[in-house]
Amino acid sequence: VQENFYDHPPLGFWLQSLFFRLLGDHRFTEKIYTAVMGILLVYIIGKTWDALTKKPEFKWVSQLFLVLCPAFCTIIKNNWLEGPMMVFMLSSTIFMVYAFEALTQVKRSLWAFFSGTFVVCAILIKPPVPFVLFSFWCLIYFIKYKSNHKEFFLQSILFASPFIGFCFYVYFD
């Protein structure tokens, strides 16, 4: 195997390094990190269920399916980068729904910007999977909300602005 591994963006490694800085270089630090990521994923999948369906009494079903999924157990057990990436992707999905359901333009803009920021964070962990959220942004609008197209266009610019800013930063650096 390679001595140095530079094939993934750094955010996932930075998050894990925070745990090593806080807890020290022990053999259980990585296990604590993956346990925290697993608990956070189970919690956020429940919040995503609440945001998408508005039926909080059944969110335990989505959490149960997540925990019983062999891929979830493998991701958490082996500390793969998909764990923190999914935390950011699901958080972005929650903020997408909040952006479409907010009553004021300021809140819609703020939630759209936060959603886009979480997409950039997910891209900084493991691209190209989080790019699917750009299509989900359009899909959730056309299926569920179908409101003013001009407002959707403005929200889409705010949603994509963190990614566009990140691209400019990388290109001109």
Side-chain angles (χ1 to χ4, degrees):
V1 184
Q2 298 172 342
E3 214 174 286
N4 296 320
F5 184 70
Y6 299 111
D7 289 345
H8 288 293
L11 185 58
F13 301 114
W14 289 346
L15 289 173
Q16 189 167 4
S17 74
L18 289 175
F19 276 78
F20 279 99
R21 287 185 185 174
L22 290 173
L23 303 174
D25 193 14
H26 302 288
R27 68 186 260 199
F28 291 111
T29 302
E30 185 176 6
K31 298 296 181 190
I32 293 170
Y33 171 75
T34 58
V36 167
M37 280 297 138
I39 291 168
L40 197 57
L41 271 172
V42 171
Y43 174 75
I44 291 177
I45 199 80
K47 293 299 282 182
T48 306
W49 177 273
D50 290 346
L52 288 173
T53 65
K54 305 295 185 265
K55 295 179 182 175
E57 64 272 5
F58 293 116
K59 75 177 170 184
W60 64 269
V61 175
S62 63
Q63 292 170 329
L64 179 67
F65 282 148
L66 177 71
V67 172
L68 293 178
C69 180
F72 173 76
C73 297
T74 303
I75 287 168
I76 297 303
K77 184 176 78 173
N78 296 325
N79 191 19
W80 288 355
L81 289 173
E82 281 80 358
M85 180 191 68
M86 287 301 296
V87 167
F88 286 114
M89 288 179 69
L90 289 171
S91 299
S92 176
T93 304
I94 292 169
F95 287 129
M96 277 184 209
V97 175
Y98 289 170
F100 286 121
E101 292 180 349
L103 299 177
T104 64
Q105 180 63 35
V106 173
K107 286 186 178 180
R108 283 191 292 268
S109 302
L110 190 63
W111 292 131
F113 183 78
F114 283 158
S115 180
T117 303
F118 279 110
V119 171
V120 170
C121 290
I123 289 170
L124 283 173
I125 291 177
K126 190 169 183 180
V129 176
F131 285 109
V132 75
L133 291 172
F134 289 108
S135 62
F136 187 67
W137 173 264
C138 297
L139 185 71
I140 197 171
Y141 170 76
F142 288 115
I143 289 177
K144 196 166 183 179
Y145 298 103
K146 301 177 195 166
S147 61
N148 185 355
H149 294 300
K150 180 182 174 186
E151 185 177 312
F152 171 71
F153 179 72
L154 293 174
Q155 278 183 258
S156 297
I157 291 173
L158 284 169
F159 174 70
S161 64
F163 177 71
I164 294 168
F166 174 71
C167 290
F168 275 111
Y169 174 75
V170 169
Y171 180 73
F172 292 115
D173 187 28

